[in-house]
Amino acid sequence: MKKLLLYSFTCLSLAALLTSCSSKGGNSSSKTGIPYADRKSKNNQSGAFAVATQYKRAPGPGLIPIEGGVLVVGGSAIEVPGVEPNIYNYKRQVTVPSFYMDETEVSNTDWLEYLHWIRYNYPEDREFYYNELPDTLVWRRALSYNEPYVDNYLRHPAYRDYPVVGVSWEQASRYCEWRTSRANEFILREKGILTDYKTLAGNGKSNTATTAAATPKPDKPFNTDAYLNGQYDDKGKNAPIDYNTKSGAATSTAGGTAAPASGGKNNQPRRTATLEDGVIMQPYRLPTEAEWEYAALGLIGNTEYENINQNKIYPWNGLGVSSAKKKTRGMIQANFKRAPGDYMGVGGSLNDKGDLTVPVIQYAPNDFGLYNMAGNVNEWVNDVYRTGTFTDADAFNPYRGNYFTNKKLEDSQSGKIALDKYGNPIKENAYAGRKQTWAEKQAQAKRSDSISKSTDPQSPVASTSYQADQRGYRDRQNILLNEEGVTLVNDKSRVYKGGSWNDMAYWLNPATRRFMQQDESSAEVGFRCAMTMLGAPEISTAGKRNFKNPPQKPYRVSRGK
């Protein structure tokens, strides 16, 4: 009887250990108890489930984290005597999730890097290069001698750290897409998940005729979306092990191209990295208007235990535009036009140290660590302009500008996506606002396959009532006419914010907003990029009160003697 009780107690204890340990996560399933696949494990079997248990998030190059929170959009707006009240602001409380944002505006050097990449990879494609050139003629004025800026501002090293201007919203958006793929490619090659740069250049230790022949030579430059879809067949020495393929077997990509197993212990097959691996960064993009206003205001420096002890009119504290600190007292804290005709102060005492623009790192950063969130250049944001955006938009992460698209399929059977001549996915209108049934998906694939490849990518691929273009959704004032009855606001009107070297102090207030057509540019408008932050919104727990949660331990069972 004692033996039976002892045996029962042992079994119950073991079951409790299985349940308690596995429920805390770690290196095994909390629901089945089955160990996850891991390089260090000796018991990995084909079909094992791999989980990125060591993932640690970090901002992409050039970005800094912005911890989100509550924002009263338009809350910092002020009325200035002699200036028309900003009728485009609507005070409303919203929540902005945490995100990443460029520390500085994109500079001339940054844009020249983009142009260099185009010229290197597409030396014969003059149209591509020309389309991405900023419009340097934005400096030209009929009654001003600005020709030196037309010729020199973009390229001369004297202006290498100055913000790029003459860039349209469309060009800025394409730059974000390019930057995403270049940054991801760099990460993957540095980690050896793709063929590393030394081997690719023929300078590595494995520089042999065999290796050189085996190294894939892609037809088009690396694209993040195509890679994630399995259409970039390049597996470096540190590519993830494919536990779902038997050792020695060939894997296949979404495009149907066979990829032989490569290297590794026990000749284990390799695969491309996926989102589940936590290596691929989120796309760079333009910030939303709410994100930009939240980041520019920087109230985090004035907040303690959810209490904002001082509001702001500008990205810095105080009611004025000059510094109150002893060492810099009286100095202007941004680059703007102080009065009609006064762009930089008096000779011998140039107060804001700039005539037109200034370097992207100048003056003190705001409490988030962002430079020039007021003055220097206005900045494009992602939103389509409407006077009543914040009346209509959601209270969480408000944004107007959604145009839902799918990646066009080249082969519906294999899932291979269609790419343009530059290797970028071709987009088409989204088919539905919900997950389609399998039958609907197959019917949609047949309809898509029947359409000619020459069809306009933006045209609908099926007769559906779903509206992919949501830019005018719940829009109470969708048009604005001038005196001649010409539409001033439409779905291509994009917001810019922040004030510039050619603006009065009124426009330095983060709540102010103006608009311009997305294919237009100006000597007073530049941009910076942002990136979505995934996971918990709290950036740092240091010095903050927290519930004490039990530590997560790997699944272990001790059977005893």
Side-chain angles (χ1 to χ4, degrees):
M1 184 68 179
K2 289 183 179 180
K3 289 183 178 180
L4 179 61
L5 288 174
L6 180 61
Y7 176 78
S8 300
F9 177 77
T10 303
C11 289
L12 289 172
S13 300
L14 179 59
L17 184 61
L18 283 169
T19 303
S20 61
C21 288
S22 61
S23 66
K24 297 175 185 178
N27 294 326
S28 64
S29 169
S30 63
K31 300 300 183 284
T32 65
I34 300 173
Y36 296 140
D38 187 275
R39 286 192 186 208
K40 298 179 181 179
S41 175
K42 297 180 180 179
N43 299 317
N44 287 329
Q45 297 179 359
S46 179
F49 179 50
V51 176
T53 57
Q54 303 300 317
Y55 167 74
K56 292 183 180 180
R57 71 181 182 189
L63 302 171
I64 59 176
I66 308 294
E67 187 168 286
V70 171
L71 167 70
V72 178
V73 287
S76 62
I78 58 172
E79 292 188 13
V80 177
V83 178
E84 182 181 358
N86 189 356
I87 63 172
Y88 305 124
N89 280 308
Y90 179 85
K91 293 179 172 60
R92 181 187 175 195
Q93 182 170 283
V94 300
T95 291
V96 177
S98 298
F99 63 103
Y100 301 109
M101 197 173 203
D102 268 340
E103 183 180 25
T104 69
E105 297 144 339
V106 173
S107 70
N108 286 322
T109 296
D110 298 328
W111 198 268
L112 289 174
E113 179 187 9
Y114 179 34
L115 295 177
H116 166 78
W117 181 89
I118 295 172
R119 182 154 32 189
Y120 179 82
N121 286 279
Y122 299 96
E124 305 300 324
D125 195 335
R126 300 186 63 184
E127 180 183 3
F128 186 12
Y129 185 84
Y130 180 83
N131 287 341
E132 299 312 307
L133 279 174
D135 183 4
T136 60
L137 297 181
V138 294
W139 291 110
R140 183 168 286 174
R141 298 288 188 275
L143 296 176
S144 179
Y145 182 60
N146 283 359
E147 290 306 296
Y149 304 113
V150 172
D151 296 332
N152 294 298
Y153 181 81
L154 173 64
R155 299 184 182 278
H156 198 282
Y159 297 104
R160 66 180 182 273
D161 295 325
Y162 285 56
V164 66
V165 298
V167 172
S168 68
W169 181 94
E170 294 175 349
Q171 287 177 307
S173 296
R174 291 195 293 267
Y175 172 87
C176 292
E177 294 175 1
W178 168 84
R179 183 178 174 185
T180 298
S181 290
R182 300 290 71 72
N184 275 323
E185 181 183 16
F186 182 79
I187 290 172
L188 294 171
R189 294 202 186 281
E190 285 290 292
K191 290 180 176 293
I193 296 173
L194 291 178
T195 304
D196 62 86
Y197 285 111
K198 286 185 177 181
T199 303
L200 207 62
N203 298 325
K205 293 181 179 179
S206 56
N207 182 22
T208 63
T210 303
T211 303
T215 301
K217 302 296 182 183
D219 296 331
K220 298 182 176 71
F222 176 89
N223 176 272
T224 299
D225 289 322
Y227 175 79
L228 287 173
N229 200 51
Q231 292 175 226
Y232 193 87
D233 188 19
D234 181 351
K235 299 177 183 68
K237 60 183 179 180
N238 294 327
I241 297 171
D242 189 353
Y243 295 105
N244 295 317
T245 303
K246 292 182 179 180
S247 181
T251 60
S252 62
T253 66
T257 305
S262 60
K265 295 181 179 179
N266 302 322
N267 197 30
Q268 292 171 308
R270 303 283 173 164
R271 59 171 175 81
T272 58
T274 64
L275 280 179
E276 292 93 326
D277 294 313
V279 179
I280 302 293
M281 292 189 306
Q282 288 295 294
Y284 285 90
R285 56 176 174 79
L286 292 175
T288 67
E289 182 176 358
E291 286 175 336
W292 196 98
E293 184 173 335
Y294 178 86
L297 202 55
L299 288 174
I300 194 170
N302 297 10
T303 303
E304 186 175 4
Y305 299 116
E306 289 199 276
N307 296 315
I308 299 175
N309 54 44
Q310 183 181 358
N311 213 328
K312 292 180 179 179
I313 297 175
Y314 304 108
W316 51 83
N317 288 322
L319 300 177
V321 295
S322 57
S323 173
K325 295 181 179 179
K326 185 175 181 180
K327 291 185 178 180
T328 56
R329 185 169 296 159
M331 294 183 64
I332 302 297
Q333 301 193 78
N335 180 29
F336 66 99
K337 184 169 62 177
R338 290 193 297 173
D342 182 2
Y343 289 88
M344 59 183 181
V346 179
S349 182
L350 301 182
N351 200 301
D352 67 12
K353 316 297 184 185
D355 48 5
L356 300 175
T357 58
V358 295
V360 294
I361 295 184
Q362 188 143 322
Y363 314 112
N366 73 355
D367 288 329
F368 278 122
L370 303 170
Y371 288 88
N372 287 313
M373 292 300 286
N376 207 22
V377 289
N378 290 284
E379 297 180 16
W380 287 113
V381 299
N382 219 4
D383 290 57
V384 167
Y385 176 82
R386 291 292 191 274
T387 58
T389 288
F390 295 114
T391 306
D392 305 322
D394 289 352
F396 179 79
N397 207 9
Y399 168 68
R400 182 183 291 282
N402 282 312
Y403 195 143
F404 300 118
T405 60
N406 293 333
K407 299 179 185 71
K408 185 176 181 179
L409 292 179
E410 182 178 295
D411 184 349
S412 60
Q413 295 299 315
S414 66
K416 185 176 182 180
I417 59 177
L419 305 176
D420 63 19
K421 63 179 181 179
Y422 303 117
N424 301 314
I426 297 173
K427 305 292 182 64
E428 59 187 6
N429 291 347
Y431 314 138
R434 61 170 177 80
K435 179 183 176 181
Q436 295 174 301
T437 65
W438 180 254
E440 289 173 335
K441 187 174 178 64
Q442 300 313 304
Q444 179 64 53
K446 290 180 180 179
R447 287 194 292 268
S448 300
D449 289 342
S450 67
I451 296 176
S452 171
K453 293 183 179 180
S454 62
T455 301
D456 181 358
Q458 290 298 327
S459 65
V461 297
S463 56
T464 174
S465 59
Y466 178 68
Q467 177 58 260
D469 187 353
Q470 298 291 312
R471 290 174 291 183
Y473 178 73
R474 207 190 299 163
D475 181 16
R476 304 178 186 183
Q477 298 175 338
N478 60 353
I479 59 172
L480 182 65
L481 305 179
N482 63 9
E483 295 178 356
E484 289 75 29
V486 179
T487 302
L488 297 177
V489 174
N490 54 42
D491 287 343
K492 293 187 177 181
S493 302
R494 299 286 176 169
V495 179
Y496 64 87
K497 297 171 75 72
S500 76
W501 59 271
N502 198 28
D503 286 317
M504 303 292 283
Y506 171 74
W507 296 105
L508 305 187
N509 180 279
T512 58
R513 55 200 301 257
R514 289 174 283 183
F515 68 93
M516 191 163 59
Q517 292 299 97
Q518 65 184 40
D519 58 353
E520 295 179 346
S521 59
S522 167
E524 301 157 20
V525 178
F527 73 102
R528 72 180 74 209
C529 301
M531 180 183 287
T532 299
M533 181 185 293
L534 304 180
E538 191 171 47
I539 292 172
S540 174
T541 59
K544 299 177 184 177
R545 297 175 298 174
N546 286 284
F547 291 106
K548 188 176 182 180
N549 295 319
Q552 292 193 350
K553 298 179 180 179
Y555 169 81
R556 291 190 180 91
V557 176
S558 177
R559 298 185 181 276
K561 295 183 179 179

